[in-house]
Amino acid sequence: MKKVAQQIGRYKKDAFACIGLTALEVIMEILLPFITALIIDNGLEAGDLPAIYRYGALMVVMAFLSLFFGATAGKFAASASSGFAANLREAIYSNIQTFSFSNIDKFSVPGLVTRMTTDITNVQMAFMMIIRVAVRAPLNLVFSFAMCMIINVRMSLTFLIAVVFLVVVLGTIMVTTLKIFNQVFRKYDDLNASVQENISAIRVVKAFVREKFENSKFAKASDSLYDLSVKAEGLLAFNSPAMMIAVYFCIIMVSWMGAHFIVDGSLSTGDLTSLFSYIMSLLMSLMMLSMVVVMISMSMASIRRIEEVLDEVPDLHDPEDPVMEVPDGRIDFNHVDFSYKHGSGKNALTDIDLHIAAGETIGVIGGTGSGKSSLVNLICRLYDVDEGSVCVGGLDVRSYDMEALRDQVSVVLQKNTLFSGTILENLRWGDPDATREECIEACKAACADEFIDRMPDGYDTRIERGGANVSGGQKQRLCIARALLKKPKVLILDDSTSAVDTATDAKIRAAFAEKIPGTTKIIIAQRISSVESADRILVLDEGRIDGFDTHENLLKTNAIYQEIYGSQVKGGGDFDQPA
């Protein structure tokens, strides 16, 4: 709760203003039935018309004051709750930006989306009710009961029976529904996951005619959420009948006892009228409190989920005195062991001892799951090793400032991502200050200029979200150009030319040799033609080094490389080359 409450920040003043104004609103409302009793007893029954005017005018003034206090309190409540929600979203988003890949792996993307939407909305509504209704209802209850005690102590005691009854019933409902709401929010994650997966892969769904299956999967998640929601709301529905029982019990008791007291002369008609008003005010306050408890019950589940994100501490930290400059592109793996879950015993990489000189071009090849992507993720410190060390420029990557290191280690990952905006705006992710001419040069090196020039607006053509309006090969070339704009000391291409033909792939590699000769280049590929011209080729098998030599030597000595070469070249050629 503490970290969540801290996000109220500068909106504390609005929250306290709302509480104060709500208290004044309640005082005005509590005094109105008392004035009504005076009008009846001192005005109507006494036949005193001026008294009726005086008390009537006072009631009008108090009603307008109550309206003013209530409207102003509502305005402050809206400001405080909306600001609180905005601060929470910013805090969660900022913390997510500091996460390493291992931190992000703990939370599903749909789970994070639910936390920033549904969960924060629940907390926002609960906070508004706390500073508005949760202040108003208890004050109303206490003041109403105090006024009842002033009017008639014996009749006021009957309210306690109704209060005890409501507390027991509502308390039982709240405890039960809280457990159900915890499950409901987990089901929201499943529903969001189903929607996100379907929409992001809609082309695949349609290509394989799997709409019925996806509809069935979504319906299953939706029905599960429906069943739990109905169960929770069904229990909450008992609030209203329990409230009505308490209200009618009090009305009957006050009517019966009040009649006796009026006959005895110990109670006036005006006092009895006031008692009925205070009864309804008191019981409605209990009803409002039950609504607050429901909302708080829902929000407690949401608060715990929000706190999980806010409390998550990034696995990777900058050292106390970080190195701010990478000397060169040398890369050394010194007997490295790495697993995605530390201590699990399931290594993605085992005993990797590898030394690459600055400016070398290294090809990396191996089967699926052999550890190729894991290897390059360690170079730019997206993860930390379990054992051994990874050095760039002769220094352990853990001694660098992470931003400085990643500025000099440019990575084009397997999954290429473009953002909504123009081509130029996407390219300038690599260098925000890059000139148009520099962007064009980078595109020429990545062989992206040929299709950009054919676009209606050239470099000002708008890219849709996720790069939906460009092909896979075009997206890859734009991402390579973006990486080149960083002018890195190390360039990593993680299977990032898989969607381009071999002729274009060869042009890109030739441009690398010409444009960035001093940059260390690591090219992960599935096809021999992409790596055979590299200075050396690394062959990985099940997270271990199986071979590290030139293309010619590996063809003579390495069985895995021979098998890959044979299947691709002798077995019929690359996908766009003749057999």
Side-chain angles (χ1 to χ4, degrees), residues 77-92:
S79 171
S81 59
S82 298
F84 179 40
N87 287 350
L88 268 178
R89 286 192 186 92
E90 288 176 15
I92 290 176

Side-chain angles (χ1 to χ4, degrees), residues 236-248:
L236 291 176
F238 282 101
N239 276 6
S240 186
M243 185 69 195
M244 289 301 101
I245 290 171
V247 168
Y248 289 124

Side-chain angles (χ1 to χ4, degrees), residues 98-172:
T98 67
F99 287 175
S100 66
F101 278 22
S102 56
N103 291 116
I104 293 171
D105 291 343
K106 292 180 185 178
F107 302 96
S108 67
V109 173
L112 289 172
V113 171
T114 304
R115 283 167 169 84
M116 294 189 69
T117 52
T118 305
D119 287 326
I120 287 182
T121 300
N122 287 337
V123 174
Q124 177 182 349
M125 295 301 296
F127 181 66
M128 179 181 279
M129 292 189 78
I130 287 170
I131 62 175
R132 191 87 168 91
V133 182
V135 172
R136 177 189 177 85
L139 286 175
N140 233 330
L141 193 150
V142 171
F143 288 157
S144 294
F145 189 71
M147 293 301 289
C148 289
M149 292 288 287
I150 291 169
I151 294 169
N152 191 295
V153 175
R154 288 174 62 189
M155 289 178 66
S156 301
L157 295 177
T158 61
F159 303 152
L160 294 178
I161 300 171
V163 170
V164 171
F165 167 75
L166 282 176
V167 167
V168 171
V169 173
L170 298 179
T172 304

Side-chain angles (χ1 to χ4, degrees), residues 108-119 184-200 214 217-218 221-222 225 305:
S108 67
V109 173
L112 289 172
V113 171
T114 304
R115 283 167 169 84
M116 294 189 69
T117 52
T118 305
D119 287 326
V184 165
F185 292 119
R186 286 195 289 271
K187 295 299 180 184
Y188 270 120
D189 288 351
D190 295 340
L191 193 70
N192 283 342
S194 178
V195 173
Q196 185 180 37
E197 186 177 50
N198 179 274
I199 292 173
S200 61
E214 287 296 314
K217 188 170 72 171
F218 178 82
S222 182
L225 179 60
R305 288 160 53 82

Side-chain angles (χ1 to χ4, degrees), residues 384-451:
D384 268 346
V385 300
D386 294 350
E387 298 290 339
S389 65
V390 178
C391 298
V392 174
L395 296 172
D396 193 317
V397 292
R398 289 169 290 195
S399 64
Y400 286 107
D401 174 82
M402 281 188 285
E403 189 174 328
L405 173 67
R406 290 170 186 169
D407 268 342
Q408 294 302 321
V409 180
S410 196
V411 185
V412 184
L413 296 170
Q414 278 178 316
K415 188 176 180 181
N416 299 288
T417 303
L418 294 174
F419 299 88
S420 54
T422 64
I423 289 176
L424 273 177
E425 288 169 349
N426 270 276
L427 292 171
R428 284 174 177 147
W429 272 67
D431 180 4
D433 300 320
T435 64
R436 190 183 187 91
E437 289 69 28
E438 287 174 325
C439 292
I440 292 171
E441 282 300 312
C443 288
K444 285 179 179 177
C447 296
D449 60 318
E450 57 188 47
F451 70 84

